[in-house]
Amino acid sequence: MFNPPVMFLLLPGGVGGVGTMKPRTMTSIAPSKGLSNEPGQNSCFLNSALQVLWHLDIFRRSFRQLTTHKCMEDSCIFCALKSIFAQFQYSSEKVLPSDALRSALAKTFQDEQRFQLGIMDDAAECFENILMRIHFHIADETKEDICTARHCIPHQKFAMTLYEQCVCSSCGASSDPLPFIQMVHYISTTSLCNQAVKMLESREKATPGMFGELLRNASMGDLRSCPSQCGQQLRMARVLLNSPEIITIGLVWDSDHSDLAEDVIHTLGTCLHLGDLFYRVTEEKARQAELYLVGMVCYYGKHYSTFFFQTKIRRWMYFDDAHVKEVYSVMHDVTCSAW
Ligand SMILES: [Zn+2]
Ligand SMILES: [Zn+2]
Ligand SMILES: [Zn+2]
């Protein structure tokens, strides 16, 4: 079954983020171009992931500075990405082909039979895998789960370093902490809607911190028994150990034909505090961070498209393969107070 998540990207509201009204400098110019998707190519998942990477100022600027890498010739995702970024920047064409990256991706993941030519795939997983391949090309000497290479954009900017643990408030027993790293924070939409109903029942009015709290509650999973069998039912708590600059959330549909789409849209906020999203956040910087929605990848009618906030022109843009449109909306004016 193919139930791709909606991807949701958030950035801090500090310098360079959406929250400021500072005029942009020349270096932040990111011209918008469409990406072709001929009949039978089924490249919309890749085009969406690519538009996200190009429009994320943090990624685009850091990636530009990378020069050396372990090259994989015609299956080199690093080279293919460099090439399409150069075209985004310098080409006079309004629509670019993403074929070189599509083919490098297909060759790289041939053994796993993922992202193969002509076959539709998952945009969030494509995005995650491109990031992991960049790690491989530039910081292969360090392991994925303990990568501390300063130039490794995926791990320095995107990765959330977490551990998961059950702590019993009644008897104090705790399960063994399970450490892990994730590029995308996946949340089930069913769980999201159930939690939204519960939270709205228990309070009179929606509050600014509610969106983060909602996401936290929705990602805690099912109740489980206390590790010392005291009879308490507990939920898994997640603790964030680092301070990622970009938070990506993937909303996963639990069934092929969900009637929750409208409910899910109503639960979404545009502002998020990391301290609300996780049970505990150890770094002060992360605890203080206020994140704003900058992009969204949507899946509708077996097709991916992308909304992204362009910092240079301070407008929301809509990318549907070759088509690029400006979204006449007040989305970026919608603040936490809208909740
Ligand atoms: Zn290369
Ligand atoms: Zn790395
Ligand atoms: Zn207990």
Side-chain angles (χ1 to χ4, degrees), residues 302-331:
K302 302 206 184 313
H303 179 67
Y304 281 104
S305 56
T306 308
F307 292 89
F308 216 92
F309 184 78
Q310 244 204 342
T311 48
K312 187 211 152 203
I313 52 171
R314 307 207 57 81
R315 301 234 165 91
W316 278 92
M317 302 294 289
Y318 177 64
F319 303 91
D320 182 1
D321 291 327
H323 308 282
V324 180
K325 271 183 253 171
E326 195 182 301
V327 181
Y328 293 99
S329 96
V330 287
M331 257 177 109

Side-chain angles (χ1 to χ4, degrees), residues 67 69-80 82 137:
T67 45
H69 71 289
K70 179 167 141 185
C71 193
M72 302 299 285
E73 313 292 326
D74 66 340
S75 66
C76 190
I77 288 175
F78 185 97
C79 284
K82 277 277 181 194
H137 284 293

